[in-house]
Each structure stands twice: as structure tokens, then as C-alpha cells.
């Protein structure tokens, strides 16, 4: 089955992973800007990172017939440094017209601090000013519930089209508030700290399939970039229809991304060669 | 799938996972030191109670998530003294 992984950090993966993804049916990836595993020293370092996301990765992906899209921001962890964040915020508009940029992301909270909240709001203002879609990271483990509620509080203060915002890494206790507020929700299949394929399917069965996407959030940590096909298999084992599976792993992300002017997806059925 | 089919599929998985939890708690107990007053041990005990308690709705996973979550204060924004930016 063709699928889209809406959240995958390919800068920290090997070219072999692109090959495996292609073999498994992945036709498009969206890569939000995130933390590199260490704090970067300057806004120039982010400028280089944004060039990597907009110039290098699309070419690497194209070799395997995968379309690469991206989101730009300074992530929540480095947003603790307000001064640096504001410099990076000034750099972002230079890249918003690059053909693979879908919007601002993944912004959000990490430890739910005041500085993170300040920079989150400044990113939202940038997104609104440039009419960008938004992809939001929610914190992990014990900070997730509090952080997700704080994010929903802040989003509620902005006059935005909620169907152009995706709140990611939802789990059993946060998916309800996100969907009920009218946003899209993403479930991340990630070992130990996030959701398993079985629990993600439970969430689909409980909350329905509308405005819900699933991703691997593969990165430099112990993650599995091919986790979306695991979900496909789990749904099949439970007897779900191919059309429902396709909705979750292909139609939904395509529908969400289609609201971005830069999102043009080649029809996988009609392509010839890579 | 009906409940019987799901039980057939999940029984050995459930058994294995419960054994993992039991063995991990044994490992902690056998080791040097005392963690009985560590709040995480109470969280684990409370979570096990949730699993073993009959639920009106099937929301054990959600309850356990909330049990392991930090508290959310609806007035958090006032505490941060961030000017409303809208
Ligand atoms: Zn991410």
C-alpha cells in the first residue's frame, strides 16, 4: 500500500532508510525541523539546517521516488534560548517560498516553560502573518498532558483556521481534547516513550478516522522509520478495510497537506520510473 | 474481531508483559537500597490497581496515562506573566 509518513527526520537517517521506505510503499515524507541532539550555537547554524531541509533532503529522497516536504522553526528545546530563537525567527521567511516547505513546525513545548511558551506564540504570529500551516510537537511522558493543554490554551487565543494546524504525538489522554477543539492530530509510533501500533489502532477505533494521521517520527534516537507499515499490518490483522487503512496512512495526510500551496503530490498510480 | 478472538490473540502477550513487570519489581526488591518511599513506586502500584479494577468504560490506558501525568493548572498563563499576544 502507498503511504505518506507525515513526520520523519530524515537528516538523521541513512540513505539505506530511504531505500527501505521506498520498498515498503512510502511515496512522500514530511520532515519537521527539530532538535539535532545538541544545542546549536547560532542562527547561521539554523540557516544551514534549513538549506539541508530544502535543498539536500529532497534530492536524496527523489533518488528513491519519494517526495520530500518540510516544516521550519526553532524547536521547543532550543526555544528556551529566547534571544537565539528570535534571530532564527527572522531567518525563516527567507525559506518559506522554497517548493517543499509546507509551513511552520514542529513548534511546541518541551518542559512547558515560560520561554518555550513565549517562542511558541511568536512562531504562531509568524505563521499567521505568512498564512502558513502549523505542525506542533507535544512534550513526552509526564509533561505531555500539561503541555498539550497549555498548547491548546495558547492556540485558542489566536484567530486561526484550526483545520490547518496539526497537534502531534497525541496519546490516549490527549487525542480527545485535540480533535474536539477542531485540530488535526498525529499519533507517533515510537518505542517505549510514545505509542505502539496496537495502541494507535485502539485510538482510531475509539475516536474515528477523521483528522487523524500516524507517523514514525524516526530520528537519531531509538526509533523505527518503517513504523507506519507496522500499523497497516496491525489494522489488517484486526480486519479493518483497505479503504480505512488507506485513509489513515495516505488520504488523511494528503488532505491535511493539501492546504499548503506548496504541496503537489504526484499520483503514485500514474508515475513511470523513479 | 470479537472479544474471544482478541483474548486468544492477546493472552500470551498479556501474560508475558505482566511477567516482565513482576520480574522488574522483583529485581528492584533484590537490589541494594530501599525505594519504598520513592513516589514512582506508588505510581506503579496505583497503575497496577487501575489494570486490575473493573472499569465502567474501556479507559484503563487513558487513566494510567493521566496517573503518570503532571498536573495541569488552567491558570498557568497568569503564573507565567506573559502578556496576551493576540
Ligand atoms: Zn519530531
Amino acid at each position: 500500500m502507498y503511504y505518506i509518513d507525515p513526520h520523519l527526520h530524515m537528516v538523521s537517517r541513512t540513505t539505506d532508510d530511504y531505500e527501505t521506505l521506498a520498498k515498503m510503499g512510502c511515496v512522500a515524507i514530511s520532515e519537521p525541523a527539530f532538535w539535532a541532539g545538541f544545542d546549536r550555537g547560532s542562527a547561521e547554524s539554523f540557516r544551514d539546517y534549513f538549506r539541508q531541509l530544502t535543498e539536500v533532503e529532497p534530492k536524496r529522497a527523489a533518488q528513491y521516488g519519494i517526495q520530500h516536504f518540510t516544516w521550519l522553526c526553532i524547536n521547543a528545546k532550543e526555544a528556551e534560548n529566547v534571544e537565539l530563537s528570535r534571530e532564527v525567527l527572522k531567518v525563516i521567511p527567507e525559506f518559506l517560498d522554497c517548493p517543499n516547505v509546507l509551513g511552520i513546525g514542529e513548534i511546541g513545548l518541551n518542559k512547558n516553560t515560560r520561554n518555550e511558551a513565549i517562542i511558541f506564540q511568536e512562531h504562531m504570529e509568524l505563521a499567521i502573518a505568512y498564512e502558513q500551516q502549523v505542525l506542533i510537537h507535544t512534550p513526552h511522558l509526564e509533561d505531555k498532558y500539561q503541555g498539550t493543554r497549555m498548547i491548546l490554551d495558547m492556540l485558542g487565543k489566536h484567530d486561526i483556521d484550526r483545520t490547518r494546524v496539526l497537534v502531534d504525538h497525541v496519546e490516549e489522554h490527549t487525542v480527545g481534547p485535540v480533535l474536539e477543539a477542531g485540530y488535526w492530530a498525529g499519533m507517533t509510533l515510537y518505542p517505549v516513550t510514545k505509542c505502539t501500533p496496537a495502541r494507535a489502532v485502539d485510538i482510531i477505533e475509539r475516536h474515528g478516522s477523521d483528522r487523524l494521521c500516524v507517523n514514525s517520527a524516526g530520528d537519531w534516537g531509538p526509533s523505527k522509520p518503517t513504523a507506519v507499515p507496522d500499523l497497516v499490518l496491525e489494522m489488517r490483522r484486526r480486519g479493518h478495510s483497505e479503504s480505512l487503512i488507506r485513509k489513515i496512512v495516505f488520504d488523511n495526510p494528503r488532505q491535511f497537506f493539501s492546504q499548503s500551496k506548496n504541496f503537489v503530490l504526484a499520483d503514485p498510480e500514474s508515475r513511470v520510473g523513479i | 474481531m470479537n472479544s474471544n478472538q482478541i483474548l486468544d490473540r492477546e493472552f500470551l502477550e498479556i501474560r508475558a508483559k505482566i511477567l516482565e513487570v513482576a520480574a522488574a519489581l522483583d529485581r528492584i526488591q533484590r537490589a541494594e537500597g530501599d525505594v519504598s518511599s520513592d513516589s514512582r513506586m506508588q505510581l506503579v502500584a496505583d497503575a497496577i490497581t487501575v489494570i486490575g479494577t473493573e472499569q465502567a468504560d474501556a479507559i484503563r490506558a487513558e487513566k494510567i496515562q493521566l496517573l503518570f501525568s503532571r498536573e495541569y493548572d488552567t491558570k498557568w498563563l497568569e503564573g507565567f506573566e506573559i502578556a496576551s499576544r493576540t
Side-chain angles (χ1 to χ4, degrees), chain B residues 39-74:
Chain B
S39 59
R40 290 173 296 180
M41 290 303 286
Q42 189 56 51
L43 281 176
V44 170
D46 291 348
I48 291 168
T49 303
V50 171
I51 291 175
T53 309
E54 197 69 35
Q55 305 286 328
D57 295 310
I59 52 166
R60 287 180 187 79
E62 187 175 338
K63 276 194 169 176
I64 287 172
Q65 288 276 24
L66 289 171
L67 187 67
F68 284 109
S69 294
R70 248 183 246 287
E71 216 178 301
Y72 159 66
D73 171 13
T74 52

Side-chain angles (χ1 to χ4, degrees), chain A residues 230-248:
Chain A
D230 292 345
L231 176 115
V232 171
L233 183 61
E234 175 66 15
M235 288 187 77
R236 281 195 186 126
R237 289 184 72 192
R238 293 196 198 181
H240 289 296
S241 69
E242 290 297 303
S243 63
L244 179 66
I245 300 171
R246 185 190 147 102
K247 180 179 177 188
I248 294 288

Side-chain angles (χ1 to χ4, degrees), chain A residues 112-114 125 142-143 145-146 149-150 153-154 157 171-173 199 206 234 237, chain B residues 1 9 58-59 61-62 65-66 68-72 76-77 80-82 85-86:
Chain A
N112 305 335
T113 68
R114 181 173 183 271
E125 287 164 16
E142 72 269 28
D143 295 312
Y145 183 73
Q146 183 190 55
R149 297 300 299 257
M150 288 169 69
D153 288 344
M154 289 189 281
K157 292 183 188 303
E171 292 179 19
E172 290 89 345
H173 53 323
R199 282 171 47 217
R206 285 196 50 170
E234 175 66 15
R237 289 184 72 192
Chain B
M1 287 174 110
R9 191 189 149 187
I59 52 166
E62 187 175 338
Q65 288 276 24
L66 289 171
F68 284 109
S69 294
R70 248 183 246 287
E71 216 178 301
Y72 159 66
W76 68 272
L77 197 52
F80 275 13
E81 293 173 343
I82 303 174
R85 299 187 59 99
T86 47

